[in-house]
Amino acid sequence: MNPFLDRLSASPAFGGWIMLESALGAEHMGRSGYDFLVVDSQHGEVSSSRMLQLFQAAGAAGTPVISRVISPEPYLIMRSLDMGADGVIVPMISTMQQTAEAAAACRYAPDGTRSYGPVRPGAGGVEQANRRVMFMPMIETLEALDNLEEITAVDGVDALFIGPFDLGLLMGISPGEVPRDSQVLAAVERIVAVASKRNIPVGSVAAGEEHARALLERGVSFLSLGSDSTFVQQGATARLALAGRLRSQQSALMEGQVA
Ligand code: 3PY
Ligand code: MG
């Protein structure tokens, strides 16, 4: 069984996103109790030379680690899996052919075209690796919406991952509007409906609590709740607000002493 699918059985599952190229940050994320973590090579700072350390650190406490690759090229998918990712999220998939090619890159023959070269200890044999890995094409283009039935019919699609912000942009909706936009939310509902015909779980990213609720209400079963980079920024901003409060308390105290 795939460790990520195990976590999904406690649906909904909640994950975190790793954007920063910090093994220490990834370890903190991994030990925070999220059901899964995504290491983001597409939009994160993550370079291929540091990917291995981030997977090791994020997975140190047993959390399943998924790699979002830069684009659907098979060699990027294979490299992430060789470095020990439990699965891949593959962005900008639009057609059945792209889906089939990416799905094949995730599995060794006879199930796919993955080249054999395990490097991580405990990588397991061919059959085990083929069963363990999770392939998740992203649905984030209008063409993918048109081709949903064909994409979900491809063998080896283990889950779908919706990119609401790219979908929104292509629909003419600004990122700030996406969480509440009825057109984007209707697309989410449709994606879940098509995927559920084949028992394929659907995940996505939530920009805050209201967005998370809207996605869960529409049947999304696993969600990233935020990234290390956002958490650092939010934590730093919150602490600075405390500094402001302490400063005004202090000056009120000083004024009291002078009066
Ligand atoms: C999108 O919303 O387009 C994404 O890729 C989210 O990660
Ligand atoms: Mg996207």
Side-chain angles (χ1 to χ4, degrees):
M1 185 63 157
N2 185 292
F4 181 77
L5 274 181
D6 277 349
R7 302 290 175 114
L8 283 198
S9 57
S11 173
F14 295 108
W17 210 262
I18 294 175
M19 304 283 285
L20 303 177
E21 204 180 57
S22 159
L24 181 58
E27 191 178 5
H28 276 300
M29 293 287 282
R31 292 191 187 279
S32 299
Y34 287 97
D35 294 311
F36 65 94
L37 288 170
V38 177
V39 174
D40 188 359
S41 294
Q42 186 194 20
H43 293 303
E45 185 194 8
V46 179
S47 62
S48 80
S49 60
R50 290 280 286 169
M51 208 161 57
L52 172 60
Q53 282 104 313
L54 296 181
F55 293 166
Q56 287 169 327
T63 312
V65 180
I66 304 296
S67 170
R68 174 157 79 173
V69 295
I70 301 171
S71 66
E73 268 76 69
Y75 80 93
L76 295 171
I77 295 170
M78 293 186 206
R79 187 124 188 94
S80 279
L81 297 177
D82 282 352
M83 293 304 133
D86 294 301
V88 286
I89 289 177
V90 182
M92 294 290 169
I93 289 267
S94 290
T95 66
M96 185 180 88
Q97 197 188 327
Q98 281 178 322
T99 312
E101 204 172 82
C106 293
R107 268 117 192 164
Y108 298 119
D111 299 341
T113 57
R114 182 176 172 193
S115 169
Y116 191 70
V119 281
R120 292 287 302 276
V126 165
E127 276 170 34
Q128 191 191 344
N130 282 359
R131 253 184 286 118
R132 264 181 70 89
V133 79
M134 284 286 293
F135 166 53
M136 296 180 253
M138 284 196 76
I139 305 298
E140 56 178 353
T141 68
L142 300 183
E143 207 183 341
L145 283 185
D146 289 341
N147 293 329
L148 266 184
E149 300 278 354
E150 291 87 342
I151 288 173
T152 49
V154 170
D155 247 6
V157 172
D158 301 296
L160 297 182
F161 202 87
I162 300 176
F165 296 99
D166 272 317
L167 260 186
L169 277 182
L170 294 168
M171 290 172 172
I173 295 144
S174 69
E177 296 302 313
V178 160
R180 280 169 303 281
D181 184 82
S182 57
Q183 210 185 331
V184 178
L185 291 172
V188 170
E189 212 165 307
R190 201 182 134 241
I191 294 165
V192 171
V194 174
S196 65
K197 285 194 259 175
R198 295 178 189 274
N199 286 324
I200 295 175
V202 178
S204 192
V205 292
E209 191 169 335
E210 192 196 336
H211 193 204
R213 282 187 210 290
L215 294 168
L216 294 174
E217 277 164 16
R218 283 160 183 83
V220 168
S221 60
F222 62 102
L223 267 183
S224 165
L225 295 179
S227 72
D228 51 2
S229 126
T230 310
F231 297 157
V232 169
Q233 186 236 321
Q234 286 171 344
T237 309
R239 269 303 146 118
L240 208 55
L242 169 63
R245 289 197 299 278
L246 292 173
R247 210 173 273 132
S248 34
Q249 268 170 17
Q250 199 64 15
S251 52
L253 209 66
M254 302 286 274
E255 275 167 30
Q257 281 170 359
V258 171

Short mmCIF file of all heavy atoms in Angstrom, two decimals, residues 96 143-154 190 193-195 197-198 200:
data_model
loop_
_atom_site.label_atom_id
_atom_site.label_comp_id
_atom_site.label_asym_id
_atom_site.label_seq_id
_atom_site.Cartn_x
_atom_site.Cartn_y
_atom_site.Cartn_z
N MET A 96 -4.89 13.20 -22.63
CA MET A 96 -4.77 11.79 -22.25
C MET A 96 -3.35 11.29 -22.53
O MET A 96 -2.77 10.54 -21.73
CB MET A 96 -5.77 10.96 -23.03
CG MET A 96 -5.80 9.53 -22.62
SD MET A 96 -7.00 8.61 -23.56
CE MET A 96 -6.01 8.13 -24.94
N GLU A 143 -8.13 22.86 -21.18
CA GLU A 143 -8.08 21.65 -22.00
C GLU A 143 -8.23 20.39 -21.13
O GLU A 143 -8.90 19.43 -21.52
CB GLU A 143 -6.74 21.62 -22.75
CG GLU A 143 -6.81 20.85 -24.05
CD GLU A 143 -5.44 20.79 -24.73
OE1 GLU A 143 -4.54 21.60 -24.41
OE2 GLU A 143 -5.28 19.90 -25.58
N ALA A 144 -7.61 20.41 -19.96
CA ALA A 144 -7.75 19.25 -19.06
C ALA A 144 -9.20 19.08 -18.63
O ALA A 144 -9.69 17.96 -18.51
CB ALA A 144 -6.85 19.42 -17.83
N LEU A 145 -9.91 20.21 -18.43
CA LEU A 145 -11.33 20.11 -18.06
C LEU A 145 -12.11 19.43 -19.18
O LEU A 145 -12.98 18.60 -18.93
CB LEU A 145 -11.92 21.50 -17.82
CG LEU A 145 -11.60 22.20 -16.50
CD1 LEU A 145 -12.38 23.50 -16.41
CD2 LEU A 145 -11.92 21.29 -15.31
N ASP A 146 -11.78 19.78 -20.42
CA ASP A 146 -12.46 19.16 -21.57
C ASP A 146 -12.13 17.67 -21.68
O ASP A 146 -12.92 16.90 -22.21
CB ASP A 146 -12.01 19.83 -22.89
CG ASP A 146 -12.59 21.23 -23.02
OD1 ASP A 146 -13.57 21.52 -22.30
OD2 ASP A 146 -12.04 22.02 -23.81
N ASN A 147 -10.92 17.30 -21.22
CA ASN A 147 -10.46 15.91 -21.41
C ASN A 147 -10.53 15.07 -20.12
O ASN A 147 -9.86 14.04 -20.02
CB ASN A 147 -9.00 15.92 -21.90
CG ASN A 147 -8.90 16.51 -23.29
OD1 ASN A 147 -9.82 16.38 -24.08
ND2 ASN A 147 -7.79 17.17 -23.58
N LEU A 148 -11.34 15.51 -19.18
CA LEU A 148 -11.35 14.85 -17.86
C LEU A 148 -11.65 13.36 -17.92
O LEU A 148 -10.99 12.56 -17.25
CB LEU A 148 -12.42 15.50 -16.99
CG LEU A 148 -12.00 16.61 -16.06
CD1 LEU A 148 -13.19 17.04 -15.21
CD2 LEU A 148 -10.84 16.15 -15.16
N GLU A 149 -12.65 12.99 -18.72
CA GLU A 149 -13.03 11.57 -18.79
C GLU A 149 -11.84 10.74 -19.27
O GLU A 149 -11.53 9.69 -18.70
CB GLU A 149 -14.21 11.37 -19.75
CG GLU A 149 -15.47 12.13 -19.36
CD GLU A 149 -16.30 11.41 -18.30
OE1 GLU A 149 -15.96 10.27 -17.94
OE2 GLU A 149 -17.29 12.01 -17.83
N GLU A 150 -11.15 11.24 -20.33
CA GLU A 150 -10.02 10.49 -20.89
C GLU A 150 -8.85 10.45 -19.91
O GLU A 150 -8.19 9.42 -19.75
CB GLU A 150 -9.54 11.14 -22.21
CG GLU A 150 -10.51 11.02 -23.37
CD GLU A 150 -11.54 12.14 -23.40
OE1 GLU A 150 -11.73 12.81 -22.35
OE2 GLU A 150 -12.17 12.33 -24.45
N ILE A 151 -8.60 11.57 -19.25
CA ILE A 151 -7.47 11.63 -18.30
C ILE A 151 -7.69 10.64 -17.15
O ILE A 151 -6.79 9.90 -16.77
CB ILE A 151 -7.29 13.08 -17.79
CG1 ILE A 151 -6.70 13.95 -18.91
CG2 ILE A 151 -6.40 13.13 -16.54
CD1 ILE A 151 -6.62 15.43 -18.61
N THR A 152 -8.92 10.62 -16.63
CA THR A 152 -9.17 9.73 -15.48
C THR A 152 -9.24 8.26 -15.90
O THR A 152 -9.16 7.37 -15.05
CB THR A 152 -10.46 10.12 -14.73
OG1 THR A 152 -11.52 10.28 -15.68
CG2 THR A 152 -10.29 11.40 -13.96
N ALA A 153 -9.38 8.00 -17.20
CA ALA A 153 -9.44 6.61 -17.67
C ALA A 153 -8.04 6.00 -17.82
O ALA A 153 -7.90 4.79 -18.00
CB ALA A 153 -10.17 6.55 -19.00
N VAL A 154 -7.00 6.83 -17.73
CA VAL A 154 -5.63 6.32 -17.91
C VAL A 154 -5.25 5.43 -16.71
O VAL A 154 -5.46 5.82 -15.55
CB VAL A 154 -4.63 7.49 -18.05
CG1 VAL A 154 -3.20 7.00 -17.99
CG2 VAL A 154 -4.88 8.25 -19.34
N ARG A 190 -17.24 19.53 -10.70
CA ARG A 190 -17.28 18.64 -11.87
C ARG A 190 -16.09 17.67 -11.87
O ARG A 190 -16.24 16.48 -12.13
CB ARG A 190 -17.27 19.47 -13.16
CG ARG A 190 -17.81 18.68 -14.28
CD ARG A 190 -17.85 19.29 -15.62
NE ARG A 190 -17.33 18.28 -16.54
CZ ARG A 190 -16.25 18.42 -17.27
NH1 ARG A 190 -15.56 19.55 -17.24
NH2 ARG A 190 -15.86 17.44 -18.05
N ALA A 193 -16.79 14.98 -9.46
CA ALA A 193 -17.83 14.07 -9.95
C ALA A 193 -17.25 13.07 -10.95
O ALA A 193 -17.51 11.87 -10.87
CB ALA A 193 -18.97 14.87 -10.58
N VAL A 194 -16.43 13.55 -11.88
CA VAL A 194 -15.85 12.66 -12.89
C VAL A 194 -14.88 11.68 -12.22
O VAL A 194 -14.91 10.47 -12.49
CB VAL A 194 -15.14 13.47 -14.01
CG1 VAL A 194 -14.41 12.54 -14.97
CG2 VAL A 194 -16.15 14.34 -14.76
N ALA A 195 -14.04 12.19 -11.31
CA ALA A 195 -13.05 11.32 -10.65
C ALA A 195 -13.73 10.26 -9.79
O ALA A 195 -13.27 9.12 -9.73
CB ALA A 195 -12.11 12.17 -9.81
N LYS A 197 -16.35 8.66 -10.24
CA LYS A 197 -16.87 7.51 -11.00
C LYS A 197 -15.84 6.38 -11.03
O LYS A 197 -16.16 5.23 -11.24
CB LYS A 197 -17.20 7.93 -12.44
CG LYS A 197 -18.48 8.76 -12.53
CD LYS A 197 -18.95 8.87 -13.97
CE LYS A 197 -18.56 10.21 -14.54
NZ LYS A 197 -18.84 10.39 -15.95
N ARG A 198 -14.56 6.75 -10.88
CA ARG A 198 -13.51 5.73 -10.88
C ARG A 198 -12.82 5.62 -9.51
O ARG A 198 -11.69 5.13 -9.41
CB ARG A 198 -12.46 6.07 -11.95
CG ARG A 198 -13.03 6.02 -13.35
CD ARG A 198 -12.00 6.41 -14.38
NE ARG A 198 -12.61 6.57 -15.68
CZ ARG A 198 -12.81 5.59 -16.56
NH1 ARG A 198 -12.43 4.38 -16.27
NH2 ARG A 198 -13.39 5.83 -17.72
N ILE A 200 -11.36 7.83 -7.80
CA ILE A 200 -10.08 8.54 -7.76
C ILE A 200 -10.24 9.73 -6.81
O ILE A 200 -11.10 10.59 -7.03
CB ILE A 200 -9.69 9.03 -9.17
CG1 ILE A 200 -9.45 7.82 -10.09
CG2 ILE A 200 -8.47 9.95 -9.13
CD1 ILE A 200 -9.17 8.19 -11.54
#
